Every structure is written in structure tokens, then in C-alpha cells.
């Protein structure tokens, strides 16, 4: 594969390529002992005696950015920290898609925020559905490329592992798609669940394919969903554009402190142990569902959940809810009218699911 020549900045909305964005008080790298440039209160809130909350936070904290770039194996300038993966999706659509003209491509069934962000920004949504096979949902990359070329698609959203499919996409196919769409579209790989797949990240392709962007989050494997910390990893020039489109203070200080503490090596070792337990339990949950007389089909998964089609989905959902077990009801989704998505819980929680669905003894 040859090194690409196309600059992804050429895909950015022309009116935003030189857009300076808002320069907040914290954007100015100034030193001083008396800070009177941000109209903050000179007194602490009585509930905050340590003065942790009085000042506006750093828009892109260097310590967090360094830890994330080290973990995701990219350069700090290639990473933008934000509010979960959702903000990254929104920023990409906002920066690249001209309302009423450009489109994004999705592969259903997939994460709903891609299409929602597109519609909120006036971009069309092109859907190239995944193929439902006995081996799981599969992506037709040639069909994706054809549709992207024919429909003025600026962003191709690929979820790997997929939500709710659980399918891991071949990294070689992602690279080939990005190469074919070079100069036309950015291929966005949402890797929210990649920690559970133990597979190479698409960040490894960035040096060869500048039209790839990767989404990561601390909400899943690092158990920080409430902190809302995620990242976009992409070409440094594109990252700079996204940062200029971002809100002035996207990362609350206490959330950043939690994330920095969670990324310390001893804590990350504990997260790794929980990931391994989740992988073991995922196989048990899948086997249980596959053997249940109530289940029509349980799809293989590389994420921390299992997608299952039920013979009587309402009855199964009601049984689980009566036992105090809440799962994701996907029956309102097109092509998933009989499906539930069940997250992998603790061993005890998974046994409770098995007890409700009647797994022919596999729950033990």
C-alpha cells in the first residue's frame, strides 16, 4: 500500500477550514499569580473548600491527552479528548458535512447516534445493511465503497466490534476501503468495544491512510461511563479542525481527575483482569443463550454483550424484567424485531439470566 497524498483537510467544509473557533480564557497559555481573565468568582463555593471547582478547566488537559495517546498508540497531536464517543461523532459530522448536500454512510444494524447526528446537522443518511449470516452480521465493503462514491458521502461510520451485532471487522478490509475512498470520504472506525476483542486497532493505519478516524471511549472496559471521557484519533490537521469546532470547556475537571487516576498502570492492570473475566463470561452467556429453548439464534460476539433473537421476545423480556433483570429491547429496530441485547454481567448476574431463560443446565 502506497503512502497517500490526499489531505483530509480537503474534505472539511470549505467555510470551516480556516475557522478560528472560540478562544476561551484557558486557551491562552499565560502565566500569572492573579487570574482575572475569565470572569470567574474570586471566592470558592462553600461546598468546595479545596477550590477544585472555581476555575474553568483546561480544554485539552496535557496529562490526560498524553495518557490516552500512549494507550491508543498515537501522537498527542492526533488525539482530541471529548465527552465520550458521542461528541466525536457530532464533531466529525459538523466539520465535514455541508447541510443539505453531503451524506454519511452507516451499516445497519448499528449505533443509532451516527444517523441522529447526521440528521441534526442536515446531512443525508445512506444505509448499506450488514448481511445476516449464520456466522454473524457481515459487512459488504465493496457495496459500502460503491454507495459512498455514488452518494456524495463524506463520512463512513463503521462500528468494530459492532453495536449491536458484536462483529469485529477485518482491519485489512478497513484499510482497503479507506484507500479506495481517499480524497472522497473519511472512514470512521468506532472502537468503543475493541478492548473486548483483543484485536489490532485501526489507529495502526493512520500513518498510511490519512482519511481514517478512530473513536475510543473510557465508558466500557475502563468502567467510567459517568465520567464521559472519549477520544477522536485522526490526522493532526483534522484534529485541529475538530478542536476549533468543539465547545470551549468540554471536559469537567473532576472527570479528568478520575480519568487520569484510572489510567495509572496499577488501575489499568485491574481493568485488564475485569476484561478477561468478561471474555470468559461472554462465552458462558453465549453458550447459555444458544442452548435455551426460548432463543432462536445467539450471535457470536467480540464485544461485552450478546445479541439474541427470541422465539417469543415479549415473553422473554417480561420474564427477565419480572426477575429484576433489565436488558436492551431492540424490537423497534429495523431487521431486529425479535431481538434482545444482553450485556455481559458478573458471573452471578449471568447465572440469573440463565435461570430465567432456561438454558438446559448450561448456566452452571
Amino acid at each position: 500500500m502506497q503512502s497517500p497524498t490526499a489531505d483530509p483537510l480537503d474534505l472539511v467544509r470549505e467555510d470551516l477550514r480556516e475557522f478560528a473557533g472560540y478562544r476561551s480564557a484557558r486557551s491562552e497559555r499565560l502565566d500569572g499569580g492573579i487570574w482575572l481573565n475569565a470572569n470567574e468568582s474570586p471566592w470558592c463555593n462553600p461546598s468546595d473548600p479545596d477550590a477544585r471547582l472555581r476555575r474553568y478547566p483546561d480544554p485539552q488537559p496535557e496529562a490526560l491527552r498524553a495518557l490516552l495517546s500512549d494507550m491508543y498508540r498515537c501522537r498527542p497531536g492526533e488525539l482530541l479528548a471529548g465527552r465520550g464517543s458521542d461528541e466525536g461523532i457530532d464533531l466529525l459530522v459538523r466539520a465535514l458535512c455541508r447541510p443539505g448536500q453531503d451524506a454519511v454512510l452507516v451499516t445497519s444494524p448499528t449505533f443509532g447516534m451516527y444517523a441522529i447526528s447526521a440528521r441534526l446537522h442536515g446531512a443525508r443518511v445512506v444505509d448499506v445493511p450488514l448481511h445476516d449470516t449464520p456466522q454473524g452480521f457481515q459487512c459488504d465493503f465493496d457495496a459500502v465503497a460503491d454507495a459512498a462514491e455514488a452518494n456524495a458521502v463524506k463520512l463512513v461510520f463503521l462500528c468494530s466490534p459492532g453495536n449491536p451485532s458484536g462483529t469485529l471487522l477485518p482491519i485489512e478490509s478497513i484499510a482497503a476501503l479507506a484507500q479506495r475512498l481517499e480524497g472522497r470520504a473519511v472512514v470512521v472506525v468506532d472502537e468503543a468495544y475493541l478492548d473486548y476483542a483483543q484485536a489490532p486497532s485501526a489507529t495502526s493505519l493512520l500513518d498510511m491512510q490519512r482519511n481514517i478516524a478512530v473513536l475510543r471511549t473510557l465508558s466500557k472496559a475502563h468502567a467510567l461511563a459517568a465520567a464521559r471521557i472519549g477520544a477522536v484519533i485522526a490526522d493532526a490537521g483534522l484534529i485541529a479542525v475538530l478542536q476549533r469546532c468543539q465547545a470551549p470547556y468540554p471536559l469537567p475537571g473532576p472527570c479528568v481527575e478520575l480519568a487520569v487516576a484510572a489510567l495509572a498502570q496499577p488501575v489499568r492492570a485491574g481493568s485488564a483482569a475485569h476484561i478477561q473475566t468478561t471474555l470468559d463470561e461472554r462465552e458462558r452467556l453465549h453458550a447459555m443463550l444458544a442452548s435455551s429453548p426460548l432463543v432462536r439464534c445467539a450471535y457470536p460476539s467480540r464485544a461485552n454483550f450478546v445479541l439474541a433473537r427470541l422465539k417469543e421476545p415479549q415473553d422473554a423480556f417480561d420474564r427477565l424484567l419480572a426477575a429484576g433483570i433489565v436488558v436492551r429491547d431492540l424490537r423497534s429496530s429495523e431487521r431486529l424485531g425479535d431481538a434482545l441485547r444482553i450485556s455481559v454481567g458478573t458471573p452471578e448476574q449471568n447465572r440469573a439470566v440463565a435461570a430465567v431463560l432456561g438454558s438446559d443446565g448450561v448456566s452452571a
Side-chain angles (χ1 to χ4, degrees):
M1 185 183 295
Q2 296 181 346
S3 179
T5 57
D7 189 338
L9 289 183
D10 294 338
L11 299 173
V12 172
R13 285 169 44 185
E14 189 173 358
D15 59 314
L16 294 182
R17 290 175 194 170
E18 303 301 326
F19 176 60
Y22 177 73
R23 296 289 296 177
S24 70
R26 289 295 172 267
S27 298
E28 306 296 336
R29 297 296 180 180
L30 303 173
D31 292 322
I34 300 175
W35 290 80
L36 301 176
N37 66 336
N39 299 335
E40 299 150 325
S41 170
W43 297 280
C44 299
N45 186 283
S47 68
D48 180 34
D50 297 328
R52 295 171 62 242
L53 304 177
R54 181 168 68 88
R55 299 288 188 192
Y56 283 112
D58 187 335
Q60 287 293 303
E62 292 184 10
L64 175 64
R65 209 171 184 181
L67 286 167
L68 290 173
S69 61
D70 177 69
M71 185 167 67
Y72 297 141
R73 299 183 180 180
C74 66
R75 303 172 187 89
E78 296 173 330
L79 183 144
L80 181 71
R83 291 164 287 188
S85 298
D86 301 328
E87 185 177 30
I89 295 166
D90 183 79
L91 290 172
L92 285 162
V93 177
R94 185 184 307 175
L96 272 73
C97 293
R98 297 167 296 174
Q101 299 182 60
D102 296 320
V104 306
L105 186 147
V106 301
T107 58
S108 64
T110 192
F111 185 41
M113 283 306 300
Y114 312 141
I116 287 174
S117 290
R119 290 180 175 130
L120 288 172
H121 289 291
R124 291 178 295 111
V125 178
V126 177
D127 187 7
V128 180
L130 300 173
H131 293 301
D132 190 353
T133 76
Q135 292 75 39
F137 285 92
Q138 304 295 323
C139 180
D140 185 339
F141 283 90
D142 288 334
V144 168
D146 291 342
E149 291 172 343
N151 290 281
V153 166
K154 281 288 191 71
L155 292 166
V156 175
F157 283 102
L158 302 175
C159 196
S160 181
N163 174 18
S165 69
T167 302
L168 181 71
L169 301 178
I171 195 166
E172 299 83 3
S173 299
I174 294 171
L177 176 66
Q179 186 178 38
R180 178 171 166 181
L181 296 181
E182 182 185 328
R184 292 175 176 266
V186 171
V187 176
V188 184
V189 187
D190 188 342
E191 295 182 344
Y193 300 94
L194 191 70
D195 296 283
Y196 301 105
Q198 299 186 323
S201 169
T203 57
S204 63
L205 305 174
L206 287 176
D207 286 341
M208 295 299 294
Q209 288 301 144
R210 296 175 66 191
N211 63 325
I212 287 178
V214 178
L215 300 173
R216 298 299 297 259
T217 178
L218 301 183
S219 296
K220 311 300 182 181
H222 294 275
L224 293 179
R228 308 303 301 130
I229 301 290
V232 184
I233 303 157
D235 178 85
L238 180 56
I239 289 295
V241 170
L242 298 181
Q243 186 170 0
R244 294 196 294 270
C245 294
Q246 193 176 34
Y249 303 108
L251 301 170
C255 295
V256 171
E257 292 176 12
L258 284 170
V260 169
L263 297 180
Q265 284 298 337
V267 182
R268 284 170 62 178
S271 296
H274 287 153
I275 291 171
Q276 185 57 55
T277 300
T278 299
L279 299 185
D280 295 339
E281 286 299 309
R282 181 183 69 197
E283 300 314 308
R284 293 178 185 272
L285 179 62
H286 180 268
M288 177 274 292
L289 291 170
S291 71
S292 170
L294 304 180
V295 174
R296 189 186 310 278
C297 169
Y299 291 93
S301 175
R302 298 294 295 273
N304 68 333
F305 55 80
V306 176
L307 176 67
R309 294 188 184 275
L310 282 298
K311 296 175 183 177
E312 298 291 342
Q314 185 65 56
D315 178 63
F317 185 80
D318 290 344
R319 289 192 193 193
L320 289 165
L321 197 57
I325 301 169
V326 183
V327 300
R328 188 61 176 253
D329 187 352
L330 298 178
R331 288 175 294 160
S332 62
S333 303
E334 188 175 354
R335 302 171 65 211
L336 293 175
D338 59 353
L340 302 177
R341 191 195 68 196
I342 304 176
S343 300
V344 179
T346 65
E348 295 75 18
Q349 292 169 340
N350 298 330
R351 284 195 290 270
V353 173
V356 172
L357 295 183
S359 63
D360 293 343
V362 175
S363 61

